[in-house]
Amino acid sequence: MEQQIVEIPAGQEGARNAEWIAALEAGKVLYLPHVPFVFTEAEKKLLTPDVRDPKSRNISFGADNRLKGGAGDAATLALLAAMMERYRTQAEALLATLAPNYKAVLERGAISYRPSVVENRVQSWRADDKRMHVDAFPSRPNHGQRLLRVFSNVNPAGVPRVWRVGQPFEDVARHFLPRLKPYAAWQAKVMQALGITKSLRSEYDHLMLQLHDAMKSDEDYQKNAPQVTFGFPPGSTWVVFSDQASHAAMSGQFMMEHTLQLAPSKQYHPEASPLAILTRLQGHALV
Ligand code: SIN
Ligand code: FE
């Protein structure tokens, strides 16, 4: 398998290197070992899982500047919100440097702060991100919009965030497409009418969800598919289209993440998007 993690040397992120942009849009992980997100002295007290509401999976700070899933007194919540807003500023500045054409077209999503230990989490196979998958969400159809994510390991004790990164998207799609359930437009309409989905689940969304589930539920694929295991050390940042790169988070604690959306037509290479690849493989329009 071609290398799936591309390291960007210190100070080079502003080089506008067309190869790196193409690698990102081919679903590879851009890894910036020397781009840390640094907690201030005051923020260091947020480095505990106690700041997360046990009922929520993550702490999030939305594009509407609202904090969700935090726990603690008003001062702690204010500190969390300010820290997460600072991460948003840093992550967006990094993206503007790495891929300047995105700046005007990226749609801002939420920041998340993940202070819990990955390997302790017990979950159903479908929710288990320790299984390799591409990101796709049952209630939020996106009709081919890209999910671009910036991650930073902020662990204070030297613990890496360990991921597995799998095969290129087209290989995954070719492997699973023949066994996916066909799309039923009437079911999509019913789900929308019942409020199960926030908008109509397109054939694209159906295929992406089916891919997500088929990957996660296939033990043999999880074990034997081409993959690399990589530990992102504290003090590093990585950028990836998570709807395209096969990924799994195996272990680690304390990570920041920012999600942004992008129309595939606004990419440098629209033909590399999952929408374009799936459309080509299926031979008809999917949205
Ligand atoms: C995921 O996006 O699947 C999980 C990433 C992480 O928590 O490291
Ligand atoms: Fe994921």
Side-chain angles (χ1 to χ4, degrees):
M1 187 174 66
E2 272 175 68
Q3 199 170 336
Q4 296 303 305
I5 298 171
V6 175
E7 183 172 330
I8 299 189
Q12 292 295 299
E13 48 291 347
R16 303 189 174 196
N17 183 320
E19 262 176 50
W20 294 337
I21 294 172
L24 176 66
E25 293 196 351
K28 296 177 192 239
V29 178
L30 295 189
Y31 167 47
L32 302 119
H34 309 287
V35 176
F37 179 63
V38 182
F39 276 44
T40 64
E41 269 320 304
E43 286 166 356
K44 285 188 179 151
K45 70 171 191 221
L46 302 173
L47 289 164
T48 160
D50 297 344
V51 295
R52 178 178 64 87
D53 176 345
K55 292 192 291 295
S56 325
R57 182 166 162 160
N58 295 313
I59 304 165
S60 74
F61 183 73
D64 57 2
N65 291 346
R66 283 185 40 195
L67 183 78
K68 284 194 196 143
D73 58 18
T76 304
L77 297 178
L79 196 61
L80 266 176
M83 180 277 285
M84 293 172 79
E85 187 171 7
R86 210 160 58 70
Y87 185 69
R88 178 166 77 192
T89 304
Q90 178 172 317
E92 290 180 3
L94 173 66
L95 289 175
T97 310
L98 275 175
N101 288 8
Y102 291 173
K103 191 170 163 53
V105 290
L106 278 175
E107 244 176 74
R108 178 185 276 174
I111 301 292
S112 76
Y113 171 41
R114 308 180 184 192
S116 302
V117 177
V118 167
E119 51 275 41
N120 290 350
R121 213 189 262 150
V122 183
Q123 277 160 326
S124 67
W125 64 264
R126 194 175 263 126
D128 186 0
D129 289 339
K130 294 194 286 300
R131 295 167 185 249
M132 280 195 295
H133 62 283
V134 289
D135 286 345
F137 304 104
S139 64
R140 287 179 277 152
N142 68 24
H143 306 108
Q145 286 271 108
R146 309 305 315 282
L147 291 173
L148 180 59
R149 296 190 145 160
V150 183
F151 297 90
S152 300
N153 184 350
V154 294
N155 189 287
V159 180
R161 190 82 171 185
V162 178
W163 275 28
R164 292 187 289 147
V165 179
Q167 341 173 244
F169 184 83
E170 182 155 344
D171 296 352
V172 178
R174 284 185 186 276
H175 181 86
F176 286 105
L177 273 180
R179 64 180 94 158
L180 301 185
K181 272 190 257 154
Y183 177 64
W186 67 269
Q187 272 177 343
K189 286 187 190 127
V190 171
M191 285 188 290
Q192 184 184 15
L194 295 176
I196 297 170
T197 57
K198 295 194 174 113
S199 61
L200 186 73
R201 185 182 289 174
S202 65
E203 183 168 354
Y204 171 80
D205 295 291
H206 168 81
L207 291 174
M208 290 298 289
L209 263 180
Q210 290 268 310
L211 265 185
H212 169 276
D213 288 2
M215 291 173 82
K216 279 190 174 173
S217 62
D218 186 335
E219 301 288 349
D220 180 64
Y221 184 82
Q222 290 293 325
K223 220 160 79 203
N224 298 317
Q227 57 191 280
V228 289
T229 297
F230 188 79
F232 296 97
S236 71
T237 290
W238 58 108
V239 181
V240 62
F241 279 107
S242 64
D243 53 351
Q244 181 175 17
S246 303
H247 62 281
M250 306 312 292
S251 63
Q253 185 182 17
F254 301 117
M255 188 184 68
M256 303 300 303
E257 177 264 333
H258 185 14
T259 301
L260 300 104
Q261 296 213 31
L262 173 69
S265 59
K266 301 291 200 289
Q267 293 183 213
Y268 290 76
H269 305 286
E271 72 285 0
S273 66
L275 177 61
I277 291 171
L278 291 174
T279 303
R280 173 161 51 77
L281 295 178
Q282 292 294 82
H284 58 257
L286 303 176
V287 291

